[in-house]
Structures are given as C-alpha cells and as structure tokens.
Amino acid sequence: MRLSPHAFEEPKARAVAWLTAWDSQGIHRTGTTGDEAGALWLTQEAAGFGIKVASEAFALDRLDPVACYLELDGERISAVPAFDAPGTGIDGVVGTLSLGDRDEAILAAKLSPRSVYTGEYDRLRRDTAHRALVIICTGARPGMGLLNAERFRHPYGAPAIHVSSEASETVLAGAARSAPARVVAESQYLPTTARNILVAFSGPRRFSPPLVVMRGGGLVCWLESLRALIAAPPACNVIFTANSGHELGHLGLDDFMVRRPGWELPISEGGATWIHFGANIGAAGGELSLQSASDDLRRLTEIEFGRAGQAPDIVAPKTLVPTGETRDIHRAGGRYLTLVGSNPLFHLPQDRWPHAVDTEVVTRVAAAAAALVVKLTR
C-alpha cells in the first residue's frame, strides 16, 4: 500500500531545514573549515535526537593551491590543479598546446567529472610523453566541473590542471595551431586532520552481521534513517557513518575500513551489510539508480520505494561495479546496496540549494530509505 501524501509533510520540512543548514556552511572540501563545520553540525543534529555521537579522525596533508593557470597568447586562464598530480613549481611547464598526445607537448583534453572512472582517463594521466595535461571541464552545464583525485596520497603522471568549459573555445583553438603555452600548478601541502561522524546501535542479536549505513551525498536519507532506528531500535548492531574525503579517493572510508577489517567481505566470511546513500539523490532533473549484487536487497528496495511512490529510475545490472564507496565491497564479494543519482550540475559550483534539489523527490527517497533500513535490522 502506498503512503499517503500527508505522510511526507513533516519529513519535507525536515529535509528543507537540513539542506538549508548544510548549504550555508559553504564548500565542504576535505580538511577545511567547511568540512569541519559540516562535521560539527551533523554531530549536533544527530545528538539532538538524544543519542551518542562519536567521531574518528584521520590525518592527511591537505593540498592548498598557491598559483594555478594556463598562460596562452599572453593571457592567463584561471585553473584548478588535479589534486593527485604533481605540481610544477612557480615557473611552470612550457610547451606547445596539442590535441594529440605528442612528446613534450601540453595536452588539452575535454573530460567530464565521470571520466575519472574510465581507463582512458587513467591512460592520459599515466602517459608521461606530454609535459602537462590541461583538462577542459565538460559537463552537462558550463563551468568548472572538477574531477575527483582518486590517488590523492600517491600523485602520479604529468602535472594536470582543470580549466572551465567556458575557456574551451580559446584552449582548443590554441591547441589546433600548436600555440606555445605555459602551465603553472604551484601548491603547498598542509598537515591537517578530517573526521568521520559515527552513531552506533547495539542490538540484542550481537552475533548477527552488522549493518553499516553510509552517507556520501545522501544527507537527508542518512538523518531520516537515523531517526527511524531511534523510534524502532534494531535487533542487530548498526553503525551509521558519514565519511569525509570522498573527493580524495575515499580517504574517510579507507580509515573506517582499516579499523574494521573484513567488513567488506561476504556475510559468510564475517562481512557486514552496507547501505550507501550516494551523491545526487534528489537532484533536480536527475535520475535515481539502485545498485546491488544481492537479489533480496534489490527486491526489498523496489518494494519500499514503490510504497513511497518513488521507484528507482534505473536498476543497474548486478555485475556493474559501482564507481563510489561500495566499489571495493562489490569487488570483495560483499553485501551492499547503493542509491545514487545523476545531476546535470554534477561537480559544478552552482550545484546549490535550493534550485539544484527536487525537494519532493528527496523527501520520498529518504522515507523509503528509512523504511528499508528499519526492515533490514529486524
């Protein structure tokens, strides 16, 4: 039976309040003041439910850009470094712009934020024939759509920078005529820490496999699921984790898993069940995807989302390897469910509340997600 529209009135008000607060904190880049503001706010919000909230800190050397640009025809085009590429120093790297991967050239390539998960991008980055790589950001909308730094702790390849899609015509014209250019990517590393926020429930069935509820971008789903388990305490152990470091190769998740070895394995080998609320859930103009290699999780998810009137737009093949936090769990044969959305403003700075969010969708998805989490803990 479908839920009544009136059932979503209070959850919608909560979603609006949470998203308004989150957006007001600014950029949540790992290890920055915005990241810490988000962690503090989430701690206070969860503690306001009357439960104990913990955190686990991890160390990193934060990369802070000093000067980053492409110099072409005497003009400087503002840029952002690839955070897992080596820097150039203040003098930069000089060469001729090229659309082909010629020796000692500065290669220009149009890439979307999702390119980071492709073999072609990895090849471009590892190829040391070119002196530098200029990534022309290419998303569904104009702007500076940065690529994640999957190997942040181990920079590799030639120096690489991002330029906005709005500079595309200028850069491509320069590359077509092999114009001389200079790439500057001067940065510094600052030792700092970031932290994961955790809430743990101890159920009476202590020896049952634990359930991990993991938040990527799914802030509203995570908080609504937390509220639901407070109202209906779980029978098994459950841990909610909101991890920092997503854009840097999942640093926070790596730290979480190091502290809990084997949880990524199949249930028969001591693993956990993972529920991941990923990026872009409820994005305006987006589609919701369900990913899981487990038939029962897929079936139960479709039932609960049908009751909420928000069926997934896409049910991915069981063999599809996730691109986000559950990627390694899938490869280890673990039990997981990922909910992730698409977004025409993916990784763009204009992806902000309220215009980038479909409040009705995110409210219904969160209601279904909370009901799903409760059923998985019975």
Side-chain angles (χ1 to χ4, degrees):
M1 184 176 67
R2 278 198 175 193
L3 297 174
S4 163
H6 297 295
F8 298 105
E9 292 176 0
E10 289 186 13
K12 182 178 178 180
R14 287 194 294 269
V16 169
W18 289 333
L19 291 169
T20 300
W22 186 258
D23 184 79
S24 71
Q25 297 154 13
I27 297 174
H28 296 86
R29 185 163 76 88
T30 302
T32 65
T33 54
D35 189 35
E36 179 58 22
L40 178 60
W41 173 82
L42 192 60
T43 298
Q44 293 171 340
E45 197 67 31
F49 297 155
I51 54 177
K52 183 178 179 180
V53 184
S55 66
E56 293 176 347
F58 59 92
L60 72 149
D61 291 328
R62 189 183 73 210
L63 186 144
D64 290 343
V66 175
C68 189
Y69 56 88
L70 169 66
E71 190 172 75
L72 178 64
D73 296 331
E75 301 292 332
R76 291 184 177 182
I77 299 172
S78 180
V80 175
F83 277 48
D84 55 0
T88 65
I90 192 171
D91 294 328
V93 172
V94 176
T96 56
L97 272 181
S98 173
L99 296 177
D101 203 5
R102 301 202 317 264
D103 287 352
E104 301 186 350
I106 294 174
L107 178 65
K110 296 176 69 173
L111 298 168
S112 79
R114 296 198 178 279
S115 299
V116 72
Y117 304 116
T118 67
E120 175 62 16
Y121 176 71
D122 192 58
R123 186 195 67 77
L124 284 177
R125 289 291 312 280
R126 292 191 180 280
D127 191 340
T128 55
H130 51 260
R131 292 181 173 179
L133 172 65
V134 177
I135 298 168
I136 303 169
C137 297
T138 308
R141 298 286 188 275
M144 186 75 84
L146 304 181
L147 279 66
N148 286 341
E150 291 288 284
R151 295 173 177 81
F152 174 74
R153 293 197 188 274
H154 306 284
Y156 71 105
I161 62 173
H162 305 81
V163 298
S164 172
S165 62
E166 294 162 340
S168 176
E169 185 176 340
T170 299
V171 176
L172 292 176
R177 57 186 171 85
S178 299
R182 182 164 70 111
V183 166
V184 173
E186 181 189 9
S187 302
Q188 61 185 9
Y189 284 98
L190 178 68
T192 187
T193 59
R195 57 189 176 121
N196 300 328
I197 304 304
L198 308 174
V199 176
F201 292 84
S202 295
R205 295 206 311 262
R206 301 293 177 86
F207 299 105
S208 296
L211 176 70
V212 180
V213 181
M214 178 167 53
R215 184 188 74 80
L219 173 72
V220 179
C221 292
W222 195 87
L223 285 168
E224 281 293 347
S225 297
L226 185 56
R227 289 184 79 257
L229 277 198
I230 293 170
C236 65
N237 291 341
V238 181
I239 185 165
F240 281 69
T241 179
N243 300 332
S244 184
H246 167 84
E247 81 279 15
L248 304 179
H250 310 149
L251 294 186
L253 176 61
D254 289 346
D255 185 80
F256 179 89
M257 295 181 74
V258 164
R259 299 171 191 256
R260 297 162 183 86
W263 279 27
E264 77 280 9
L265 297 174
I267 297 295
S268 61
E269 299 177 30
T273 295
W274 297 74
I275 305 298
H276 176 222
F277 301 133
N280 303 315
I281 293 175
E287 293 183 317
L288 180 69
S289 295
L290 183 167
Q291 291 182 277
S292 179
S294 301
D295 288 329
D296 63 323
L297 289 180
R298 292 156 66 94
R299 184 168 54 253
L300 183 58
T301 302
E302 291 187 271
I303 290 171
E304 291 302 328
F305 276 66
R307 291 186 67 239
Q310 196 63 53
D313 299 290
I314 299 168
V315 178
K318 292 194 294 183
T319 55
L320 182 69
V321 179
T323 56
E325 277 81 348
T326 49
R327 176 180 54 200
D328 292 340
I329 299 163
H330 175 97
R331 289 173 174 165
R335 177 176 161 83
Y336 71 91
L337 167 73
T338 287
L339 294 171
V340 63
S342 63
N343 184 355
L345 297 176
F346 186 56
H347 279 206
L348 291 170
Q350 56 265 43
D351 184 10
R352 300 289 299 271
W353 167 263
H355 64 268
V357 179
D358 187 325
T359 311
E360 298 291 339
V361 172
V362 77
T363 301
R364 290 179 180 275
V365 170
L372 173 67
V373 167
V374 169
K375 286 198 172 179
L376 289 173
T377 65
R378 299 302 92 187

